[in-house]
């Protein structure tokens, strides 16, 4: 693939390749992708919407998934075996997803079992396939930021304690919305057992969390919220639940990427918004809502989502047309079987 293509040439060749591949191809893209990829995609969504969509692509022979790689793995697990799934850069991994590895999770799980209480694992979709499979095998769920509350409520309704990993802030913010205070949550320390993991500490807790975080959303600070309110006065601040609780507390709204999009689209013309999430998404929303004032709480890009470039995306499409060999997304069959169980449980709770 030439690296000297202009932006216009790249967009033009993507459109031509798309046309040539026709109904054989479906392009799924996450909201945090480069705007030229977003504008070329057949479906743009957050993790939940993309998972739901991947399971319904009955006609397509090829699914090209533009996002970090765990999302493409999810599509691989949910679509038919004869469909082929491609990703423009399999090295585009989510650092949050790498913050929980199966050995540490199994060690924590074994320790939790010694307390005599019933736990149900809930893994955030930003996780490796083997952790999703772990949940499938142990009666648990996958969840996204759009349905974390439903998943936690479901576990509590079973008189069990959610063991929620790997994003501490999503777990903590979700539990707060359910009226669970910090004192009733236990933070499992995956890297250092001497920092307080103990059966005595876990006793009486309603939620077990994991020390993991997203470097993009934790970049927003409470002072950023105060600053934007001081600068713009009458402005609503809306943030993603991977932000730290101090930011969420000062903001006017909190919710998944699709919640943020829907809230702003439904807002009256002339309304003013500061958005605390990934900058590519904020730029797209701003372009789509010219009748509103929209500013980023801070311009912060996910460097890992950005590894998927329009040129790499174009290369996948043109390789398909020319029938050139290229890597496909693959998931170990054993993990896929049980991860699908946990994903399907998620899709049934919505
Ligand atoms: S924004 Fe955060 S959670 Fe999302 S892919 Fe990037 S690092 Fe991972």
């Amino acid at each position: 693939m030439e690296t000297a293509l202009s932006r216009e040439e790249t967009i033009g060749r993507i459109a031509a390749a798309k046309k040539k591949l026709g109904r054989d191809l479906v392009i799924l893209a996450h909201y945090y992708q480069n705007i030229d990829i977003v504008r070329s995609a057949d479906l743009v969504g957050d993790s939940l919407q993309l998972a739901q969509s991947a399971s319904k692509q009955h006609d397509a022979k090829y699914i090209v998934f533009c996002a970090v790689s765990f999302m493409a793995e999810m599509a691989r697990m949910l679509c038919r075996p004869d469909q082929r799934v491609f990703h423009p850069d399999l090295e585009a991994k989510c650092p949050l997803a790498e913050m929980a590895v199966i050995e540490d999770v199994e060690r924590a799980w074994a320790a939790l079992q010694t307390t005599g209480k019933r736990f149900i694992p809930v893994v955030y979709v930003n996780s490796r396939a083997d952790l999703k499979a772990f949940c499938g095998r142990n009666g648990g769920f996958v969840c996204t930021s759009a349905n974390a509350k439903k998943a936690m409520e479901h576990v509590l309704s079973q008189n069990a304690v959610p063991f929620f990993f790997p994003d501490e802030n999503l777990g903590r913010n979700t539990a707060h919305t359910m009226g669970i205070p910090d004192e009733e949550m236990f933070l499992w320390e995956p890297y250092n057992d001497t920092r307080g993991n103990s059966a005595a500490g876990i006793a009486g807790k309603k939620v077990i969390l994991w020390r993991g975080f997203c470097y993009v959303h934790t970049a927003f600070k409470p002072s950023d919220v105060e600053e934007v309110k001081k600068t713009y006065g009458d402005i609503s601040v809306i943030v993603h639940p991977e932000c730290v609780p101090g930011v969420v507390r000062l903001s006017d709204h909190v919710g998944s990427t699709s919640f943020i999009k829907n809230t702003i689209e439904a807002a009256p013309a002339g309304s003013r918004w500061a958005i605390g999430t990934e900058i590519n998404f904020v730029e797209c929303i701003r372009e789509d809502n010219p009748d509103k004032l929209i500013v980023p709480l801070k311009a912060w890009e996910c460097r890992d989502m950005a590894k998927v470039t329009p040129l790499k995306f174009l290369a996948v499409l043109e390789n398909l047309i020319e029938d050139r060999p290229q890597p496909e997304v693959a998931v170990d069959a054993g993990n896929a079987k049980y991860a699908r169980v946990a994903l399907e449980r998620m899709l049934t709770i919505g």
Side-chain angles (χ1 to χ4, degrees):
M1 170 65 57
E2 307 93 300
T3 50
L5 288 184
S6 69
R7 183 179 175 196
E8 288 66 33
E9 285 169 324
T10 309
I11 294 171
R13 275 172 58 172
I14 289 171
K18 235 187 112 170
K19 197 166 165 202
K20 207 160 197 170
L21 289 160
R23 288 167 66 87
D24 283 350
L25 169 74
V26 69
I27 300 161
L28 306 181
H30 192 272
Y31 286 127
Y32 299 171
Q33 287 288 286
N34 172 288
I35 195 160
D36 295 339
I37 295 177
V38 165
R39 299 299 187 216
S40 307
D42 297 299
L43 190 127
V44 184
D46 61 14
S47 314
L48 178 60
Q49 293 166 321
L50 294 173
Q52 287 166 332
S53 171
S55 64
K56 291 182 192 145
Q57 297 307 323
H58 305 302
D59 294 339
K61 271 165 65 181
Y62 312 122
I63 297 176
V64 177
F65 207 109
C66 298
V68 279
S69 54
F70 77 81
M71 294 187 188
E73 286 179 357
M74 199 166 63
R76 173 65 281 163
M77 293 185 273
L78 290 170
C79 68
R80 288 193 320 267
D82 61 296
Q83 291 176 304
R84 298 173 66 196
V85 181
F86 297 91
H87 185 274
D89 184 346
L90 287 165
E91 289 309 307
K93 294 180 192 294
C94 164
L96 166 61
E98 301 299 308
M99 286 183 191
V101 296
I102 188 68
E103 295 77 14
D104 289 341
V105 169
E106 282 177 339
R107 195 160 47 88
W109 184 245
L112 292 177
Q113 304 315 305
T114 66
T115 64
K117 296 178 75 157
R118 181 169 174 237
F119 297 89
I120 294 180
V122 180
V123 67
Y124 188 29
V125 68
N126 296 49
S127 54
R128 295 180 179 188
D130 53 1
L131 297 192
K132 294 183 177 82
F134 169 87
C135 287
R137 274 191 212 98
N138 289 287
F141 292 86
V142 174
C143 79
T144 71
S145 56
N147 61 17
K149 189 172 176 205
K150 278 188 190 167
M152 255 195 215
E153 283 172 344
H154 179 85
V155 173
L156 291 169
S157 75
Q158 308 291 303
N159 291 321
V161 175
F163 170 38
F164 189 96
F165 53 95
D167 189 48
E168 176 192 346
N169 291 311
L170 175 63
R172 198 175 286 284
N173 288 322
T174 303
H176 285 161
T177 65
M178 296 161 62
I180 300 173
D182 287 328
E183 303 75 64
E184 294 184 2
M185 300 182 216
F186 182 85
L187 180 60
W188 182 268
E189 298 284 356
Y191 315 113
N192 187 350
D193 274 344
T194 61
R195 280 171 68 182
N197 296 332
S198 71
I202 293 162
K205 302 296 185 190
K206 282 202 176 137
V207 176
I208 310 297
L209 302 172
W210 187 269
R211 192 182 285 281
F213 64 92
C214 160
Y215 71 89
V216 176
H217 290 98
T218 53
F220 303 113
K221 305 291 174 213
S223 56
D224 296 325
V225 181
E226 287 161 354
E227 190 61 35
V228 82
K229 289 202 169 199
K230 205 161 90 192
T231 307
Y232 291 94
D234 181 21
I235 194 164
S236 299
V237 179
I238 186 164
V239 299
H240 192 278
E242 288 170 15
C243 293
V244 297
V247 165
V248 169
R249 216 171 291 124
L250 291 176
S251 300
D252 302 288
H253 307 271
V254 58
S256 65
T257 316
S258 53
F259 169 85
I260 295 174
K261 181 174 185 287
N262 295 341
T263 303
I264 290 183
E265 282 175 355
S271 56
R272 295 147 71 90
W273 295 90
I275 307 181
T277 191
E278 208 274 344
I279 189 65
N280 283 293
F281 170 70
V282 180
E283 296 296 351
C284 262
I285 286 274
R286 181 151 58 186
E287 206 173 276
D288 292 345
N289 292 269
D291 58 337
K292 293 152 203 161
L293 174 86
I294 295 172
V295 294
L297 191 51
K298 189 188 261 175
W300 209 258
E301 184 179 57
C302 176
R303 295 185 297 269
D304 300 279
M305 285 277 186
K307 286 178 184 160
V308 178
T309 63
L311 271 179
K312 291 180 193 170
F313 169 51
L314 172 61
V316 172
L317 302 187
E318 294 190 340
N319 286 343
L320 286 174
I321 292 170
E322 300 300 330
D323 206 17
R324 285 191 288 257
Q326 59 181 333
E328 290 186 36
V329 177
V331 180
D332 165 83
N335 283 335
K337 178 177 169 192
Y338 287 100
R340 199 179 307 115
V341 171
L343 280 163
E344 282 168 358
R345 282 192 194 121
M346 170 184 85
L347 296 176
T348 59
I349 61 166

